[in-house]
Amino acid sequence: MVYSVGDMYKEYRNSDLSRKSQEVGIIFDVMVTGVTGAGKSTTLNTIFSKEVSKVGKGVEPETMETESFRLNDSFRLWDSPGLGDGVAKDKEHSKKIVDLLYKDYDSNGQSYGFIDLVLVIIEGSNRDMGTTYKLLNDVIVPNFQKERVFVAINQADMAMKGRYWCYDSNSPKFELKQYLEEQASSIQRRVKEATGVDIIRPIYYSAEHNYNIEKLMDLFIDYMPKEKRTLVYV
Ligand SMILES: Nc1nc2c(ncn2[C@@H]2O[C@H](COP(=O)(O)OP(=O)(O)OP(=O)(O)O)[C@@H](O)[C@H]2O)c(=O)[nH]1
Ligand SMILES: [Mg+2]
């Protein structure tokens, strides 16, 4: 993938982001998670307009550790290893994710969690949601506040097996757009049924094609919690 010159999203709504983070008194931290190959690392690379995290080339999972990247003074993103590569690896990766969810800092004698918000990325073409539900049910929800969990659909370009993606306008054609809208409603409903989590309607984007990344940034900025995250041990 070729990155265009300049830092496209570094300055995106920077005054909103900076005001909000100053109100809470922290730099916002978002953990990006999802099954292996969903495009977590690609999403980070597109937001940073450069390769900060290695993208998988084959069927092997790529990211093995949690790692943070600072976009600007107000915002930091964390990449994490994906689930869905066998029981042993899932266990190892789940532990790393849970460790990050409990990573803490002290402020005025209180302990707070580093991670303010979790973004679960789902592949647009993904019909088997099993591993995503497992990630939500077994790893995220028991260790993190539900209302801070968001879902987004990546690989919008591939959602109908690559058909109806318009390369000229770099956006979905009517048929694909309709499909993605339905997909968003269906995922919202299915996540509720399978995990009990009431997510807001997922946005869809393409990390590879740099499509709707503004929507993703808007999601972070608009829904960033107004309070630090108190740690609750279960
Ligand atoms: N067509 C298309 N391919 C994408 C998109 N996003 C990611 N990919 C491809 O999907 C594959 C996996 O991407 P990664 O970013 O490595 O996925 P990951 O979620 O970080 O995977 P792990 O690190 O293994 O957990 C790569 O071949 C990417 O080029 C997208 O929006 N569209
Ligand atoms: Mg990765």
Side-chain angles (χ1 to χ4, degrees), residues 186-201:
S186 141
I187 286 175
Q188 184 182 30
R189 194 187 62 244
R190 287 154 73 195
V191 165
K192 171 75 177 169
E193 280 165 12
T195 71
V197 183
D198 244 326
I199 51 165
I200 65 154
R201 189 182 159 81

Side-chain angles (χ1 to χ4, degrees), residues 32-43:
V32 177
T33 179
V35 307
T36 183
K40 301 177 288 296
S41 299
T42 309
T43 300

